[in-house]
Amino acid sequence: MGPLQGIRVVEMAGIGPAPFAGMILADLGATVIRIDPPKRPGIGADLMGRGKRAIAIDAKKPGAAELIARIVERSAILIEGFRPGVMERLGLGPLELMTVNPRLIYGRMTGWGQEGPKAARSGHDINYISMSGVLGSIGDQVHGPSIPLNLVGDFGGGGMLLVSGVLAALIESHRTGQGQVVDAAMVDGSLLLMTMIYSMFQEGGWSSGPGGNLLDGGAPFYRTYLTKDDRWVAVGALEPQFFHDLVELLGLGDRFNVNNQYDHRRWPEMRIAFEERFLSRTRAEWESLFSQSDACVTPVLTMAEALEHPFHEERSSFVKVGQLRQPAPAPRFGHYRSEDRQLGRELVYDSAGILTEIGVGQDEVDTLLAQELVIE
């Protein structure tokens, strides 16, 4: 089910953003075939295997490239997350695969891009976002940069960029009949996510140091506060009407109002007042008080709390996949039932089924298994 029903995607097994992109495409209804190495990934790698089918092929053995090319020939998209040159050395580069399938969308996920001074160098999320200005913009002057997990480089600037790129190229291929290579680099994607901040910085509305700006914790009305029970609440009352509700419910309307909200000289006093007031009640009490207001105050939940929170229960925000609960597919589509998001199919190894679909007869299947080119 989903808008990509009928679209076949080949995913070369890896870790991080490329499997995440494959998971999203599967969530959207695509048939995603993951090609694994002989030693199958463990459960950690399979957390993003939901909705996919897999076949284990020893890509380094003679005949492997030809077999994978036969699968790609009947597919619309291929995605891979190796360093530049790896797929070419396996005989599976764009030149080879787009010869057998001229309409193929060849999605490439790297950290530094296919070209450039760091293209051949290793790296991780923290390195890509450090070079794009993201990491240096998060944190404060005392403790230094704060690492935003691996969400910005790997998943937001990587996997999501790859998905949007291959889908845009797919639409174009339907119009032109030609495929193309999509070069999705995490350093590019994390830069792209910073577009608004870079614009504000160059217009003089953003300082280079972290912790002193509107959206990085510098503004008293856009930050987190400790509560009486050593928990936290998040405050995001940017607009005047929301700020008005915030200070009124905090009982501070006599000191702060929409006229002095953006007076930076008042921010230190405002922050101290907010800190003292939020420390006077528990997080649950604040959540209850602000639940019916537009003050933009919410509890800071742990993952364990989010899994059980009534808000997510009501929206069916999580789906059971095997023994684990995972965030449900998103976005939601009006043409499909909400129940379809809750299927939560686990990764399935289906070597015989995949080979049959590309026209491989049973005798050849038996031979491939005997040669251990394909691992059952």
Side-chain angles (χ1 to χ4, degrees):
M1 302 294 292
L4 294 185
Q5 189 172 8
I7 301 297
R8 181 176 295 173
V9 178
V10 173
E11 174 193 324
M12 301 300 293
I15 59 174
F20 178 65
M23 183 191 77
I24 292 176
L25 294 170
D27 288 346
L28 294 173
T31 297
V32 178
I33 297 173
R34 193 179 79 186
I35 297 180
D36 282 357
K39 186 177 180 181
R40 298 172 180 176
I43 186 64
D46 282 350
L47 288 176
M48 290 180 286
R50 72 181 186 207
K52 303 176 186 178
R53 298 159 67 204
I55 178 173
I57 300 176
D58 190 342
K60 296 181 180 180
K61 283 197 171 185
E66 291 78 6
L67 179 60
I68 293 172
R70 290 166 69 180
I71 301 174
V72 172
E73 184 178 6
R74 302 194 182 198
S75 304
I77 299 169
L78 176 139
I79 57 175
E80 58 96 359
F82 303 130
R83 287 199 206 185
V86 171
M87 288 290 281
E88 283 81 356
R89 289 194 292 274
L90 293 172
L92 297 169
L95 180 62
E96 292 85 359
L97 295 184
M98 295 178 78
T99 297
V100 300
N101 184 355
R103 299 185 64 144
L104 178 68
I105 307 304
Y106 196 114
R108 316 198 77 168
M109 180 84 264
T110 62
W112 303 114
Q114 294 297 316
E115 300 174 345
K118 286 184 174 290
R121 302 275 70 83
S122 60
H124 286 291
D125 179 293
I126 191 171
N127 307 117
Y128 312 135
I129 68 173
S130 75
M131 290 290 288
S132 63
V134 174
L135 189 59
S137 301
I138 302 174
D140 57 53
Q141 299 286 3
V142 176
H143 301 98
S146 180
I147 302 172
L149 304 182
N150 64 330
L151 302 178
V152 178
D154 280 353
F155 299 117
M160 294 298 292
L161 187 71
L162 180 61
V163 169
S164 62
V166 297
L167 292 183
L170 182 66
I171 293 172
E172 185 184 52
S173 74
H174 287 168
R175 185 176 70 249
T176 66
Q178 295 181 336
Q180 65 176 298
V181 176
V182 177
D183 177 7
M186 286 174 260
V187 68
D188 293 344
S190 57
L191 270 172
L192 189 64
L193 293 173
M194 286 282 285
T195 299
M196 184 182 78
I197 306 302
Y198 268 111
S199 298
M200 295 172 68
F201 172 68
Q202 292 174 93
E203 292 173 347
W206 194 273
S207 65
S208 58
N213 297 287
L214 183 64
L215 302 175
D216 62 2
F221 43 86
Y222 198 89
R223 58 178 296 153
T224 57
Y225 289 95
L226 188 65
T227 60
K228 185 178 181 178
D229 54 345
D230 289 326
R231 296 173 183 266
W232 296 85
V233 294
V235 177
L238 291 172
E239 292 78 5
Q241 65 272 29
F242 303 155
F243 181 80
H244 172 79
D245 289 353
L246 172 66
V247 294
E248 288 298 318
L249 287 173
L250 285 176
L252 295 171
D254 58 331
R255 295 173 59 184
F256 308 110
N257 54 58
V258 297
N259 294 319
N260 58 36
Q261 177 184 0
Y262 281 89
D263 183 349
H264 287 229
R265 296 169 300 179
R266 300 291 302 274
W267 280 11
E269 173 194 354
M270 192 183 298
R271 184 181 67 252
I272 292 172
F274 286 4
E275 287 174 346
E276 292 175 347
R277 195 52 54 94
F278 277 113
L279 277 171
S280 69
R281 299 190 188 188
T282 66
R283 191 188 70 179
E285 290 172 330
W286 288 120
E287 182 178 9
S288 176
L289 179 64
F290 284 103
S291 62
Q292 301 302 314
S293 82
D294 278 336
C296 302
V297 176
T298 51
V300 177
L301 302 177
T302 64
M303 285 187 287
E305 290 172 330
L307 282 166
E308 307 299 334
H309 197 278
F311 173 83
H312 296 303
E313 291 285 352
E314 185 175 335
R315 284 182 53 80
S316 300
S317 300
F318 291 92
V319 60
K320 188 77 173 291
V321 182
Q323 300 303 310
L324 300 172
R325 296 175 68 191
Q326 294 181 337
R332 307 175 192 218
F333 295 90
H335 289 177
Y336 300 95
R337 302 172 303 166
S338 60
E339 291 83 357
D340 295 331
R341 302 170 61 251
Q342 299 298 309
L343 296 178
R345 294 180 294 118
E346 289 186 88
L347 175 79
V348 175
Y349 275 91
D350 186 21
S351 299
I354 292 170
L355 294 174
T356 299
E357 288 174 6
I358 64 170
V360 178
Q362 187 58 52
D363 289 344
E364 186 178 358
V365 171
D366 293 340
T367 300
L368 293 171
L369 292 172
Q371 294 173 340
E372 294 188 340
L373 181 59
V374 175
I375 312 300
E376 190 66 85

